[in-house]
Amino acid sequence: MEKFTFGFIGCGNMGGTLLKAVAKKFPKTEICCYDKIIEKSNEMSDFATVLSGSCEVAEKSRIIFIGVKPQFYEDCFAEINGGLSNNLEGVIVSMAAGVSISGVEKLISTKRAIIRIMPNTPCQFGKGVILYDCNNFVTDDQRRLFLDSMQSCGLVDNLEEGLIDVASVISGCGPAFVYMYIDALKKAGVKLGLDDEKALNYAVKTVEGSAVTVQNSTKSVSDLIKAVCSPGGTTIEGVNYFEENGLYELVEKALNASYQKTLKLKK
């Protein structure tokens, strides 16, 4: 029987992104995939062998990425359990929000290695974050293979599973919040007289440069803020306005709202 190192069940936004990341390091002959929407499977045909069903992917792959939405998990595992039973060494990589390792264990008919991950969308450009944890069945070799396959995504960080839902509110939801801030900077710039293109470009480059500065500076974020704020200058006026109008509290409440929704989805 033909065997693959990696298999992907579901080739949507996140599944497709991770498949392409694996394909940067491993040849097409080592990767297989299946998506119920045939167009999505076909989009991956340059990077992977497209198989006829999810059960076949589960049976033939060493590392099995489950890229379906959490509400479809029960149906997905009902379909693939037969294939998993014939592939006891296959590692499940679960990426669904709110679905714990124990939640996955309840859906499968055999005890096996499970890696839970929470990736974010910037992984597609190699600037992402993947949080992960493993159950006790994952061997050192399996962990190394998984980490090797995700190298091109960005930061891949091991985190105690109990904290993954909390951290993913920053790394998983956070990109949307940052996009909103970039959009707000752009729109404010346009109202002050800039054209759309220039305002967006300045906002993007400023956010990018600021992130790089935080990452590479030995100063704390608070000290970096102070370094831009000359007493009586222009920046301090805007900073004071943000502080007086509760920017930090607003961000905290937004993250908490996302976290509470995660808890409601938890399995």
Side-chain angles (χ1 to χ4, degrees):
M1 180 174 63
E2 186 179 18
K3 283 282 190 178
F4 298 90
T5 306
F6 304 97
F8 286 81
I9 298 171
C11 303
N13 290 338
M14 209 66 255
T17 291
L18 297 186
L19 190 159
K20 290 177 182 177
V22 172
K24 290 179 181 179
K25 189 78 184 288
F26 295 86
K28 175 180 175 178
T29 53
E30 292 192 41
I31 309 168
C32 67
C33 70
Y34 171 77
D35 194 291
K36 286 189 173 182
I37 301 174
I38 190 64
E39 291 80 9
K40 289 184 178 180
S41 289
N42 290 339
E43 287 174 7
M44 298 298 123
S45 60
D46 288 340
F47 310 98
T49 301
V50 178
L51 300 185
S52 60
S54 56
C55 190
E56 189 179 7
V57 174
E59 185 172 5
K60 293 183 176 182
S61 308
R62 288 177 61 193
I63 308 285
I64 308 154
F65 288 83
I66 309 296
V68 304
K69 296 185 183 301
Q71 60 265 37
F72 301 128
Y73 252 47
E74 288 189 20
D75 291 341
C76 175
F77 279 92
E79 291 177 7
I80 68 174
N81 265 326
L84 291 175
S85 296
N86 295 324
N87 180 19
L88 297 179
E89 301 303 315
V91 181
I92 298 290
V93 179
S94 171
M95 65 183 84
V99 181
S100 64
I101 289 174
S102 63
V104 175
E105 288 173 339
K106 292 174 184 176
L107 295 173
I108 57 180
S109 55
T110 54
K111 292 182 179 180
R112 69 175 57 244
I114 299 171
I115 301 174
R116 181 187 174 190
I117 67 172
M118 282 304 298
N120 66 5
T121 52
C123 286
Q124 63 188 307
F125 300 111
K127 298 294 183 180
V129 176
I130 297 178
L131 310 171
Y132 82 94
D133 200 13
C134 307
N135 70 359
N136 293 331
F137 295 105
V138 177
T139 67
D140 289 343
D141 285 344
Q142 289 169 334
R143 184 195 292 255
R144 278 193 291 269
L145 179 59
F146 160 74
L147 291 174
D148 197 28
S149 72
M150 296 288 100
Q151 273 186 356
S152 68
C153 290
L155 172 66
V156 184
D157 195 43
N158 185 210
L159 186 66
E160 177 190 342
E161 190 188 12
L163 293 174
I164 284 180
D165 288 330
V166 175
S168 66
V169 173
I170 296 176
S171 62
C173 305
F177 306 152
V178 175
Y179 302 153
M180 289 179 72
Y181 183 67
I182 290 171
D183 193 43
L185 285 176
K186 186 208 80 169
K187 288 178 177 176
V190 169
K191 284 189 176 181
L192 290 171
L194 293 170
D195 65 50
D196 275 59
E197 183 179 354
K198 286 188 180 297
L200 178 60
N201 191 37
Y202 299 157
V204 168
K205 288 299 182 182
T206 299
V207 170
E208 179 185 13
S210 301
V212 170
T213 301
V214 171
Q215 193 171 35
N216 290 281
S217 177
T218 57
K219 295 180 179 179
S220 68
V221 176
S222 295
D223 285 340
L224 290 173
I225 293 170
K226 292 175 185 176
V228 186
C229 295
S230 301
T234 57
T235 305
I236 193 66
E237 287 297 312
V239 167
N240 286 340
Y241 189 87
F242 275 137
E243 290 180 343
E244 290 166 6
N245 287 275
L247 173 65
Y248 288 92
E249 292 81 4
L250 184 63
V251 171
E252 181 183 343
K253 288 179 180 178
L255 264 65
N256 187 57
S258 293
Y259 179 57
Q260 294 305 317
K261 182 63 173 181
T262 299
L263 294 180
K264 289 179 182 178
L265 294 172
K266 206 163 187 176
K267 294 183 180 180

